[in-house]
Structure formats: C-alpha cells, structure tokens
Amino acid sequence: MTSTSYLDLSDGRSIAYRFTPGTGPVIVFLPGYMSDMAGSKATALFEMARASGLPCLLFDYSGCGESPGLFADGTLSRWSQEVLAIVAALETDAKIVLVGSSMGGWLMLKAGLALGERLAGLVGVAAAPDFTEWGVPQMDKALLAEGETIWEDNPYGPEPTPTHAGFWIDGQASLMLEGEIAIDAPVRLLHGQRDAEVPFEISMRLAEKLRSADVQVTLIKDGDHRLSRESDIRLLLRTVAELVLPSVSASA
C-alpha cells in the first residue's frame, strides 16, 4: 500500500490520503460511518487500480482513521467538503468515479452533485442516503433534537456507536430521497438482501429518484451489510472496472 500523505485545509483540518496515479477516471472510495481507508473494500480497489494502471484515491474523513480531529465534529456537510477539497487538490483534471459504502453512499450523492460534469459514475455499496430519517427511532430523534448523543450497540466491535446531535441535524438538512436527484452519470448500486442495517429497498428507492437513465441495482441474496466476502469484493471490483475501463479505452 502506498504511504499516507496529508492535505492541510485552510481551517486547520488535516486529511490523510493515499493516491496511486494512472490513466483514466480517478476512482475515489468513500468509507462508511466510523470506517476508514484501511478496510477490505478500499484496499482491494486500490490494489486493483494500481495493478491496472488506473488512478485511485483513498482518504479518511476528519476525526476518522489516520485523519486527526474529533469524530463528534463530523457531519455530512463537513465530510463532503473534504471529498471535494481532496479531489480538487489532485494534480489532474480527470473525471471522477465515486464509490460509496453505506454512509459513503450518501456522501457520494452530495459530492456527485457538486462535481457536475466531472462526475463519470457512482457505485454504491449498501448505500444509506437519509439514514438519519429512516434509521433513527422517533424517540431518539427527539433526544437528538435536544442536543443529546445517542449510543447504540456496535455489531462490529466492543465500543458502542454514537450518533451526535450535530451529525443528525445536518443529516436532516441533507435528505435526498424525497425528490429527484439531478445526477445523469451512470450509477451502479450493490446491496445485500440480508442487510440488517440498511434495507435493500433503500437502493431500489434511490434508483427511482436518480435522474440518470443508466442506473442498475444488483441484489446479493445472501449478502449482509458489509459485503466484504471474497465474492462480494470480486463483484465490486468487476462493477467498478466495467464503469472505468470503457472511459480508458475511449481516451486511448
């Protein structure tokens, strides 16, 4: 794996990232909530890109992984600003393919809208847009609205998972599934039908809301939320490659 570099933002944030150069659209991986660029999906994408001569960018949101800061300060708007800042800092004007896992699937929509014509495609893995709305019980919403932090059992580790009031409030201001999502680039959505955290119906609903006519949803009948098995990762790599490689051939 390429060594970690840091992008310093004007407000003092420092964003850890890894980049491998190449030809064609830049593959940018957006991790999920409380996840980072060291995960199996991110690592597999990076290695595929490097082996294929494709550019790929991994990074950690502020307060996550190798990026300093407080996780409690994180919001969708803050982290989407970081996506756009680190893409802008790349020494290339190549188009961008965003790959978003879980919460990263919400961020890829926000960032994709901002990228406009530079967006070459989206790949969602158990994409979770609007989860502050459909994924939070009404009683917890009331507590969050009062500024409290909600803690839930973490199925992936011993420490409970927090939802901070600032994150929830920003999420409620960033809901996307009620109207048309004005993205025209190709979109591929992968979702496990045994996902206990993000119902696969969310990907179906997202497909309906996207303006693009080139949207495909792939359901993995025995797939869970993480989609990190070898077969799941092979599917992800194949899906990303099918989006990226025609662009590389067209520019050759």
Side-chain angles (χ1 to χ4, degrees):
M1 179 73 76
T2 302
S3 60
T4 301
S5 300
Y6 289 85
L7 174 68
D8 294 326
L9 304 184
S10 59
D11 64 357
R13 277 178 282 175
S14 186
I15 308 303
Y17 71 94
R18 297 185 178 115
F19 179 68
T20 183
T23 301
V26 182
I27 302 165
V28 181
F29 184 79
L30 308 183
Y33 192 74
M34 295 190 73
S35 190
D36 56 48
M37 61 178 166
S40 58
K41 293 187 286 292
T43 301
L45 272 174
F46 196 85
E47 294 304 324
M48 179 200 76
R50 187 159 62 174
S52 304
L54 299 167
C56 184
L57 171 69
L58 308 181
F59 75 102
D60 289 334
Y61 315 122
S62 57
C64 301
E66 297 181 57
S67 292
L70 296 176
F71 181 78
D73 291 337
T75 64
L76 288 162
S77 295
R78 180 180 176 89
W79 290 336
S80 63
Q81 289 170 0
E82 294 168 6
V83 176
L84 298 173
I86 203 161
V87 166
L90 295 174
E91 295 182 358
T92 176
D93 59 358
K95 292 204 170 190
I96 305 295
V97 170
L98 299 174
V99 182
S101 177
S102 193
M103 180 200 72
W106 193 351
L107 283 178
M108 78 177 182
L109 298 173
K110 287 176 65 69
L113 286 167
L115 285 169
E117 292 298 319
R118 197 175 175 193
L119 182 67
L122 300 176
V123 178
V125 183
D130 294 14
F131 73 82
T132 56
E133 177 62 25
W134 52 258
V136 178
Q138 197 62 42
M139 67 179 70
D140 287 348
K141 290 179 184 178
L143 294 172
L144 288 161
E146 294 173 0
E148 296 193 29
T149 296
I150 301 300
W151 300 87
E152 299 175 280
D153 290 338
N154 180 1
Y156 307 117
E159 298 297 325
T161 300
T163 301
H164 297 287
F167 180 91
W168 179 80
I169 291 168
D170 183 75
Q172 291 300 93
S174 303
L175 300 178
M176 306 187 77
L177 292 177
E178 293 305 316
E180 181 182 73
I181 301 172
I183 287 174
D184 297 309
V187 181
R188 304 292 180 262
L189 302 172
L190 312 179
H191 214 126
Q193 289 185 270
R194 293 184 180 176
D195 189 332
E197 296 177 52
V198 181
F200 69 86
E201 289 86 358
I202 295 296
S203 280
M204 307 297 291
R205 187 175 170 192
L206 174 56
E208 292 177 357
K209 297 298 182 180
L210 286 158
R211 189 169 68 188
S212 173
D214 187 1
V215 179
Q216 298 177 15
V217 180
T218 300
L219 299 178
I220 300 91
K221 188 171 184 178
D222 62 346
D224 62 9
H225 180 63
R226 302 184 80 178
L227 290 180
S228 292
R229 301 169 301 181
E230 287 187 11
S231 59
D232 300 325
I233 290 177
R234 284 197 301 270
L235 174 61
L236 171 62
L237 298 183
R238 185 167 67 250
T239 301
V240 173
E242 288 173 353
L243 274 185
V244 174
L245 293 179
S247 299
V248 174
S249 299
S251 64

